[in-house]
Amino acid sequence: MTQPSQSLLMPTHLQVNLVPFAYNVRHSPKFSWWDHSDRATSYQQAFQIVVANRLYQLADKTYRFDSGWVSSANNTAVSLPDLDHELAPGELYYWQVRIKDNAGNVSDFSEPNKFICAQAPAVNHGIWSPTSLSVGESLPTLGNVAFLRSPQFKVDLKKVDTAIVTAISRGNEPLFAQGADLFLNGHSIGTGSARPQDNYQGGSKTGVYYNQYDVTDRLVAGANVLSALATGASERRAFWCALTVYLTDGTQKIILTTDTGWRALDGSSAFGDYGLKIRSIYFGMIAENVDMRYYPSKWATVDFDDHEWPQARTNPESVINDQEIAIPYPSENTVRIENHEPTKRIQELAPQNYLIDLGKEIIGSLTVNFDSPTAQRVTVLMGEQLDPNGHVRHPLAAGPDYLENWTLVAGQNTFTTFQMKNFRYIELVGLQGTLHPDDINGWAMQQPFNEDESAFTSDNQLLNREYEMSKYTIKATNQDVFVDSQARERRPYEGDLLVNGLTSFAVSSNYSLDRHSLDYLIDNPTWPEDYKLFNVEMAWLDYLYTGNRDLLESRYEQLTYKLNRGKSSESFDGASQGFTGSLKNIKGVDNFDETVGLVTNDGLIDWPIPERDGFIEGKYNTPFNAIFYGAYRMISQIAKVTGHDQDVSFYEKRADRIKAELINRLYDAESGRFYDSLNADLTVNQHTSHHASAYALCYGVYSDQLMADKLSKFVANQDHFIGSVYFIYFMLKGLIDAGHADDAIALLTNPDDRKDQKTFAAILNTLKATIAPEAWSNHYKPNMTLSHPWGATPGLTIVQGIMGINPIEPGFNTFRIKVRPGNLKKLQVTTPSPKGLIKVAYQRNGFQAELVVEVPMNAQAELVLPEEATDIQIAGATSNQTASAVSTFNLASGKYRIWYQTIK
């Protein structure tokens, strides 16, 4: 019999500051990696990190820094204090890591990973297309779109280690969208720049983000051209970029920057821009009425002849003004992905009338490569839904009307559109010719996403589809910051972040966008008062998932401000037309009433208002106090981590007092429900909305299991969801945490798919959503979007609830597995963690249950079996063992097989 390999494998998944290519390193970079071993129960005992300026120096072992062997089991958010003085702003560095395990084995060094130390670029003025008079049938130059091309340049590739494009796009801020698509030699290199952050780090200046793109592999030995398709909605329209090469001799050189030597073509005629806007009530973007008589086909390629284009003009306003500061974007760059879903289909609705179903909704635009038999004009309709007659509903329910016209020429028509739209369906009216499957494709905007990091299957196909919808939601909606929906508001919200972030944790190891979105919202709070508390909750969860405490330490004071929700001149109720206050993160007014032991004020509860189950607001409101109870508990834990020792007991006491007073004043033991609220005179509003009890259950406001059981029975609502698709997060989490996963699973797997039913079967089968929607259907919110991550609760509920995979210690040093299968007989999940992939499979046959668990190296799992489990046997990474009196086991790294008998 062949013995398994005992080798220690080299580390993978290298990250600095939570990203694979970090260019935001200012000081004390945080290194992370995944360890791997073929040996069971292996863990890291020491690591060695080496750093060099150029790639060849790693091979030659001429390091700039060598940590030597550091005795440490940590492979998450690792700091090297001695490294800081070796790092210089604007410089490129490579690093590798190798480890030693507890058996003395030494791994190979990892593949190299690079990072750049931040240095604000020397930005002055950006460029744009000049204005000019219209010629012939061309349109006046409105200046909303510009095609920009650099002069051709050559690079001696033998001397180049790395080539970096740094870019900033201004003027598109009113659209809440990134303003430029960047290309090198005709290849898309990304989209930028990320939206600015007002009140940056609690200050008075706006952080203007710049993006950096590694284009080393796109350079060629001959002529090269850098280009951009840029759009702007304000007079600050400007595009700035620079190409920096880091040479093998250790120097760096800027070989190209935007100036009047670039060529610039106004895009008004190419996109038929005569001032018409596609609008929601929050923004207006130009309609893309592509006119191929003026569109410069293949304009981004090297060989394109741009000699007739005018020279670029300089915008006299500075790209970064005195009230702004240039900041490196801390997450992954948005890229363009051509969409090719296997379920894509084309249907001829009538002669010259075609419907393209991309298979899934995307956020982005289109690539077109169509051979037209004649010059023609085609009407183009896009949307998230079809109308009852099978045509595209092009005025989206959310507001924007995706109605455009294309003027095609005889022969090949090759172009891309660029405005950010949310759509699945494209209808072409009046199209002559044969439409092939790849003539028109989606051109999605999203951050890189690794499909192989997460998966789920079960014996319930509906639950499987809910997981896939949730996973795809995260993939499709990750642009430069978490937002409610790109279709209508395009704005971050803390409540959305709660669901979006937790589902992202469940399906992706990209933790940086959650971190960035949280940081953005700390500075730019939204109007619901309870939403502000979710900053505290997500800050704590961010730490548990990443093991990186930087945000807790740098933002502790601002997080404490979130707990001061008293009404003042700065308060906003979300509807007042006379609001004169500010939504900046100010210190605020403490709203804890010492005499009553509860907080005053109220939060969103649910949205839209009819979804609140008749909730009656008072001065002291149960949902708001329940959320505050959770927030006080979590801020006390944050205080402990950050060394604010005096705050720990202060916040713990407040949490305990709120819990006690809620139960004493607002819980009805006879009905097992919480009343909605107390009035100022402490009389009880004796209405018992499901929301009051669900929030209390979610945040653990119960004294014992009997009380939890009573609350759960009411919250489960006889296995029918109540409230909005957002609110069910609190329902499901409360039920699972209280020991009633059976009810949560019954709610998720309700097969009723009739129109307007509050089920995921109806969302998938009748609404036909592929990204989580904003509401159960148009009936409940007529202006809904079908691209709203706050509806992606099934994904997080499956991984963190049903499969019970959650961190115990920061960075998953230890984590819990507590499978709660309900009536399901087969479950299998893969989910990422900072330590690597966690895999759990469950199968039941009669009363015999079996678990297969894979714990990544350098982590330890606490496996919790049902209390009624008997005849427990464990085989695998450790020696075989049998237990009958305990239900909790600690599993070191490796693969395990567990059998037990269950009475259910």
Side-chain angles (χ1 to χ4, degrees):
M1 181 176 178
T2 304
Q3 294 295 319
S5 170
Q6 298 295 304
S7 63
L8 181 61
L9 309 179
M10 72 178 183
T12 65
H13 201 267
L14 274 63
Q15 293 185 338
V16 176
N17 293 356
L18 302 178
V19 289
F21 169 48
Y23 49 86
N24 67 330
V25 176
R26 293 171 179 165
H27 58 83
S28 301
K30 299 300 189 297
F31 299 94
S32 301
W33 60 89
W34 288 357
D35 291 334
H36 308 273
S37 176
D38 289 335
R39 193 177 70 86
T41 68
S42 179
Y43 62 87
Q44 174 186 299
Q45 202 165 51
F47 67 81
Q48 180 186 10
I49 289 178
V50 294
V51 179
N53 288 100
R54 298 296 182 261
L55 182 60
Y56 78 89
Q57 293 172 337
L58 289 178
D60 293 347
K61 299 183 179 180
T62 53
Y63 306 132
R64 184 174 188 95
F65 174 84
D66 183 347
S67 71
W69 283 109
V70 178
S71 296
S72 173
N74 189 24
N75 62 328
T76 302
V78 173
S79 294
L80 298 170
D82 293 338
L83 174 62
D84 281 3
H85 68 273
E86 296 289 344
L87 303 178
E91 186 53 82
L92 168 76
Y93 298 95
Y94 286 88
W95 69 287
Q96 290 177 292
V97 60
R98 64 174 177 171
I99 67 167
K100 187 183 298 182
D101 70 8
N102 52 315
N105 298 310
V106 177
S107 76
D108 291 335
F109 272 108
S110 65
E111 293 293 332
N113 180 264
K114 66 179 76 171
F115 65 92
I116 294 176
C117 284
Q119 182 177 43
V123 183
N124 192 4
H125 300 283
I127 62 170
W128 205 255
S129 56
T131 57
S132 61
L133 298 175
S134 59
V135 178
E137 297 182 20
S138 66
L139 295 175
T141 56
L142 299 184
N144 293 318
V145 185
F147 294 92
L148 305 168
R149 282 176 55 91
S150 76
Q152 291 188 358
F153 62 92
K154 294 183 178 180
V155 178
D156 185 347
L157 297 183
K158 294 179 181 178
K159 297 181 179 180
V160 174
D161 179 284
T162 295
I164 299 293
V165 171
T166 304
I168 302 175
S169 177
R170 300 307 309 269
N172 217 38
E173 293 85 358
L175 272 63
F176 311 110
Q178 300 176 86
D181 278 341
L182 281 72
F183 301 85
L184 180 60
N185 300 331
H187 299 284
S188 173
I189 61 174
T191 298
S193 52
R195 75 177 65 193
Q197 183 168 327
D198 292 339
N199 315 308
Y200 183 73
Q201 297 294 298
S204 60
K205 292 192 175 184
T206 295
V208 176
Y209 287 107
Y210 62 86
N211 294 81
Q212 292 190 305
Y213 311 84
D214 187 345
V215 297
T216 311
D217 294 338
R218 289 297 186 187
L219 289 174
V220 297
N224 296 267
V225 167
L226 186 61
S227 52
L229 178 57
T231 183
S234 77
E235 292 304 314
R236 294 200 67 180
R237 300 181 191 98
F239 175 75
W240 180 91
C241 78
L243 174 61
T244 303
V245 291
Y246 292 87
L247 303 174
T248 55
D249 65 5
T251 63
Q252 58 177 284
K253 181 180 180 181
I254 297 176
I255 63 171
L256 182 72
T257 189
T258 44
D259 56 25
T260 54
W262 285 50
R263 297 287 180 170
L265 177 70
D266 180 88
S268 299
S269 293
F271 287 98
D273 179 18
Y274 53 88
L276 179 67
K277 295 291 196 297
I278 295 174
R279 295 185 181 277
S280 75
I281 63 173
Y282 300 93
F283 65 88
M285 60 185 176
I286 71 163
E288 296 177 289
N289 298 304
V290 176
D291 190 335
M292 290 304 297
R293 295 173 300 173
Y294 302 100
Y295 188 98
S297 290
K298 301 182 180 180
W299 65 275
T301 60
V302 175
D303 296 332
F304 179 82
D305 184 1
D306 61 11
H307 79 276
E308 293 186 354
W309 287 18
Q311 289 183 310
R313 69 173 176 88
T314 299
N315 187 325
E317 187 168 352
S318 295
V319 173
I320 308 293
N321 64 33
D322 291 341
Q323 299 304 311
E324 299 170 333
I325 181 172
I327 302 294
Y329 181 58
S331 186
E332 296 194 56
N333 298 328
T334 303
V335 296
R336 287 283 192 173
I337 303 291
E338 193 166 85
N339 178 266
H340 294 282
E341 289 293 332
T343 51
K344 177 182 177 181
R345 64 184 179 88
I346 298 176
Q347 179 183 358
E348 188 172 5
L349 301 176
Q352 300 184 11
N353 185 190
Y354 293 89
L355 174 69
I356 302 173
D357 178 355
L358 294 178
K360 289 182 178 178
E361 179 164 347
I362 71 164
I363 296 171
S365 54
L366 294 172
T367 64
V368 178
N369 190 18
F370 176 69
D371 189 0
S372 178
T374 184
Q376 58 177 316
R377 189 179 185 194
V378 181
T379 300
V380 183
L381 316 171
M382 292 188 288
E384 297 183 300
Q385 296 175 282
L386 300 178
D387 68 20
N389 297 317
H391 293 276
V392 172
R393 180 177 177 173
H394 57 88
L396 270 62
D401 188 354
Y402 297 163
L403 167 60
E404 296 166 333
N405 294 282
W406 294 344
T407 301
L408 306 180
V409 296
Q412 207 66 31
N413 293 262
T414 302
F415 62 92
T416 62
T417 60
F418 65 93
Q419 295 286 1
M420 184 167 60
K421 302 184 180 79
N422 297 43
F423 63 98
R424 172 179 175 177
Y425 303 103
I426 308 143
E427 185 173 348
L428 306 172
V429 181
L431 178 68
Q432 301 176 57
T434 302
L435 187 63
H436 300 101
D438 278 340
D439 286 350
I440 300 176
N441 290 305
W443 188 225
M445 302 168 64
Q446 58 192 226
Q447 290 197 354
F449 187 89
N450 188 340
E451 294 277 0
D452 296 332
E453 287 185 348
S454 57
F456 173 77
T457 58
S458 74
D459 57 327
N460 187 287
Q461 290 304 311
L462 175 58
L463 196 64
N464 299 344
R465 293 172 64 201
E466 292 171 32
Y467 174 87
E468 289 302 325
M469 180 189 71
S470 301
K471 179 177 176 177
Y472 181 70
T473 295
I474 300 305
K475 176 182 178 180
T477 63
N478 281 6
Q479 283 83 44
D480 58 334
V481 67
F482 286 158
V483 299
D484 61 341
S485 176
Q486 303 287 15
R488 186 179 62 244
E489 286 194 58
R490 297 182 172 178
R491 293 184 177 181
Y493 278 89
E494 299 93 336
D496 302 61
L497 172 66
L498 186 63
V499 175
N500 201 338
L502 284 169
T503 304
S504 184
F505 289 156
V507 300
S508 171
S509 66
N510 175 9
Y511 300 145
S512 62
L513 189 57
D514 175 83
R515 168 73 63 89
H516 170 60
S517 302
L518 171 59
D519 189 74
Y520 182 99
L521 281 162
I522 291 173
D523 289 334
N524 298 277
T526 59
W527 61 267
E529 295 290 6
D530 52 350
Y531 272 31
K532 299 173 179 70
L533 303 177
F534 297 144
N535 286 279
V536 176
E537 186 167 350
M538 284 308 300
W540 178 245
L541 290 168
D542 172 89
Y543 174 54
L544 287 180
Y545 271 85
T546 66
N548 184 319
R549 58 194 283 176
D550 288 355
L551 183 135
L552 299 186
E553 293 178 336
S554 65
R555 300 296 238 153
Y556 178 79
E557 184 177 5
Q558 284 84 16
L559 287 171
T560 64
Y561 292 171
K562 303 297 180 182
L563 300 167
N564 296 331
R565 303 272 48 91
K567 290 187 177 181
S568 69
S569 61
E570 297 294 316
S571 300
F572 184 36
D573 63 6
S576 172
Q577 298 300 310
F579 173 62
T580 58
S582 168
L583 289 179
K584 291 176 65 175
N585 185 34
I586 58 175
K587 187 172 183 178
V589 177
D590 188 358
N591 58 320
F592 183 80
D593 188 334
E594 291 283 358
T595 61
V596 180
L598 297 171
V599 296
T600 59
N601 213 342
D602 201 2
L604 184 76
I605 312 299
D606 205 348
W607 195 262
I609 291 174
E611 294 282 35
R612 293 177 180 171
D613 192 31
F615 175 82
I616 297 175
E617 182 178 349
K619 184 174 183 179
Y620 310 92
N621 297 282
T622 299
F624 199 45
N625 273 273
I627 298 169
F628 250 100
Y629 166 67
Y632 278 140
R633 286 176 55 226
M634 281 176 266
I635 197 69
S636 69
Q637 293 171 301
I638 293 172
K640 188 178 299 183
V641 170
T642 57
H644 294 83
D645 297 336
Q646 291 183 339
D647 289 353
V648 175
S649 61
F650 174 79
Y651 289 123
E652 284 179 346
K653 288 176 181 177
R654 281 204 169 179
D656 293 342
R657 178 89 187 275
I658 286 178
K659 179 177 179 179
E661 295 294 347
L662 276 174
I663 295 172
N664 180 52
R665 296 176 183 272
L666 284 159
Y667 178 64
D668 178 30
E670 183 175 348
S671 65
R673 307 175 184 181
F674 273 94
Y675 295 121
D676 288 355
S677 58
L678 286 176
N679 295 311
D681 62 2
L682 302 186
T683 57
V684 177
N685 287 313
Q686 294 189 352
H687 179 264
T688 56
S689 67
H690 281 78
H691 292 63
S693 292
Y695 278 104
L697 188 68
C698 177
Y699 287 96
V701 184
Y702 44 83
S703 57
D704 54 33
Q705 189 60 46
L706 177 61
M707 182 177 173
D709 293 343
K710 287 184 176 181
L711 284 169
S712 296
K713 182 177 180 180
F714 177 57
V715 169
N717 196 38
Q718 297 181 327
D719 298 335
H720 288 82
F721 280 124
I722 197 163
S724 74
V725 74
Y726 156 70
F727 168 70
I728 68 166
Y729 162 77
F730 303 97
M731 286 183 68
L732 294 170
K733 185 176 188 304
L735 288 169
I736 291 174
D737 289 351
H740 291 270
D742 294 18
D743 290 316
I745 293 170
L747 285 161
L748 287 171
T749 57
N750 185 337
D752 187 351
D753 63 359
R754 292 173 298 158
K755 186 175 182 292
D756 299 331
Q757 294 302 298
K758 290 188 173 183
T759 66
F760 280 94
I763 282 176
L764 291 165
N765 297 338
T766 307
L767 194 61
K768 299 187 183 303
T770 55
I771 298 176
E774 184 179 11
W776 295 107
S777 72
N778 300 80
H779 170 76
Y780 298 101
K781 196 172 191 297
N783 69 336
M784 69 177 286
T785 71
L786 270 78
S787 46
H788 206 293
W790 81 350
T793 289
L796 70 92
T797 302
I798 288 167
V799 176
Q800 297 153 2
I802 296 171
M803 302 306 292
I805 301 173
N806 293 282
I808 298 174
E809 293 183 328
F812 276 72
N813 287 330
T814 61
F815 64 94
R816 182 173 292 112
I817 302 172
K818 187 178 181 180
V819 180
R820 291 160 281 206
N823 62 355
L824 301 171
K825 296 181 179 178
K826 189 175 182 181
L827 299 159
Q828 187 169 345
V829 73
T830 299
T831 188
S833 79
K835 301 300 184 186
L837 300 182
I838 299 168
K839 299 182 180 182
V840 180
Y842 168 89
Q843 188 165 336
R844 189 178 72 217
N845 185 7
F847 296 109
Q848 178 73 44
E850 179 184 9
L851 278 171
V852 178
V853 174
E854 292 186 42
V855 180
M857 183 178 172
N858 234 31
Q860 182 168 288
E862 178 187 278
L863 176 66
V864 182
L865 301 180
E867 291 183 1
E868 67 273 12
T870 60
D871 300 328
I872 302 167
Q873 298 182 48
I874 300 178
T878 57
S879 58
N880 293 355
Q881 50 183 296
T882 302
S884 58
V886 296
S887 58
T888 301
F889 300 88
N890 294 321
L891 307 179
S893 64
K895 186 174 182 178
Y896 300 82
R897 192 176 299 272
I898 302 100
W899 300 269
Y900 61 92
Q901 293 286 324
T902 178
I903 61 174
K904 292 185 178 182

